[in-house]
């Protein structure tokens, strides 16, 4: 019980940090047209400047791993529900059909690429000059079809909307 409480507090802090990072590094610059305050980017950069590279990498990995844990939790909690009620591909302990396992694995694989793009966008200062930065900032964002979505941050706004709906659903 104490372990669950401690994990719950840590995960609540991580969720709040993620939401604040999204607002400050993505939403504020889009609205104001100026760079937002470097909330977690400054923390990671401070680790770099102090010569604590492993700590910076570990924090970056913790934030991304936490987001992946949230994706897995979403897959197992919601499966593929229609209007949050009827579950199509549920994950049940020792009672999951193979097609449901494969569907959920596919959801995780698709989400992993989106998570890398999302992480590169929100931690753009820390993830500069990486292969993910080249792929997502220089190549994919310039494709004609995706330009509108990236310029208006449609993917991130959609993710925040789903986050708020899931938060309300899980709290009620």
């Amino acid at each position: 019980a104490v372990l669950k409480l401690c994990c719950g507090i840590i995960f609540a802090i991580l969720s709040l940090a993620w939401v604040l990072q999204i607002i400050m590094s993505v939403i504020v610059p889009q609205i104001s047209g100026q760079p937002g305050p470097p909330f977690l980017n400054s923390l990671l950069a401070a680790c770099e400047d102090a010569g604590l590279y492993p700590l910076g990498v570990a924090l970056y990995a913790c934030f991304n791993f936490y987001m992946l844990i949230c994706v897995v939790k979403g897959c197992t909690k919601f499966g593929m529900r229609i209007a949050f009620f009827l579950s199509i591909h549920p994950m049940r302990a020792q009672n999951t059909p193979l097609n449901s396992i494969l569907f959920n694995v596919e959801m995780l694989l698709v989400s992993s690429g989106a998570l890398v793009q999302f992480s590169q966008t929100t931690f753009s200062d820390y993830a500069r000059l990486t292969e993910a930065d080249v792929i997502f900032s220089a190549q994919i964002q310039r494709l004609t079809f995706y330009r509108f979505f990236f310029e208006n941050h449609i993917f991130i706004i959609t993710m925040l909307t789903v986050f708020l709906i899931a938060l309300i659903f899980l709290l009620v």
Side-chain angles (χ1 to χ4, degrees):
V2 175
L3 180 65
K4 285 186 179 182
L5 176 66
C6 292
C7 287
I9 292 170
I10 291 169
F11 291 160
I13 291 169
L14 284 172
S15 293
L16 182 64
W18 261 116
V19 171
L20 290 174
Q21 177 70 14
I22 293 166
I23 290 170
M24 287 191 230
S25 68
V26 178
I27 306 294
V28 168
Q30 182 182 5
I31 293 171
S32 68
Q34 299 175 0
F39 174 54
L40 292 175
N41 280 321
S42 62
L43 174 69
L44 296 172
C47 289
E48 258 187 22
D49 294 339
L52 301 171
Y53 300 106
L55 180 62
V57 171
L59 286 172
Y60 184 73
C62 283
F63 278 105
N64 288 311
F65 188 64
Y66 172 69
M67 188 62 76
L68 191 59
I69 289 171
C70 291
V71 170
V72 170
K73 177 67 176 171
C75 273
T76 57
K77 181 75 174 176
F78 294 109
M80 180 63 189
R81 292 184 188 224
I82 298 174
F84 295 109
F85 298 113
L86 180 65
S87 183
I88 297 174
H89 290 285
M91 296 290 285
R92 296 185 197 109
Q94 298 184 5
N95 193 19
T96 304
L98 183 59
N99 63 343
S100 294
I101 292 172
L102 292 175
F103 179 82
N104 285 295
V105 166
E106 183 180 346
M107 282 179 52
L108 292 176
L109 288 172
V110 169
S111 299
S112 295
L115 179 63
V116 171
Q117 186 272 330
F118 173 72
S119 173
Q120 186 277 325
T121 301
T122 54
F123 293 115
S124 57
D125 293 342
Y126 185 73
R128 69 192 180 285
L129 304 175
T130 61
E131 289 299 317
D133 184 40
V134 171
I135 291 169
F136 292 111
S137 293
Q139 295 175 356
I140 293 179
Q141 287 186 8
R142 306 295 182 252
L143 293 174
T144 307
F145 177 77
Y146 291 109
R147 181 170 291 145
F148 172 78
F149 297 103
F150 282 109
E151 286 175 355
N152 296 307
H153 300 290
I154 300 296
F155 298 124
I156 293 176
I157 292 170
T158 303
M159 190 192 76
L160 280 176
T161 305
V162 170
F163 166 76
L164 290 174
I165 290 170
L167 180 67
I168 292 168
F169 181 76
L170 291 172
L171 288 177
V172 171

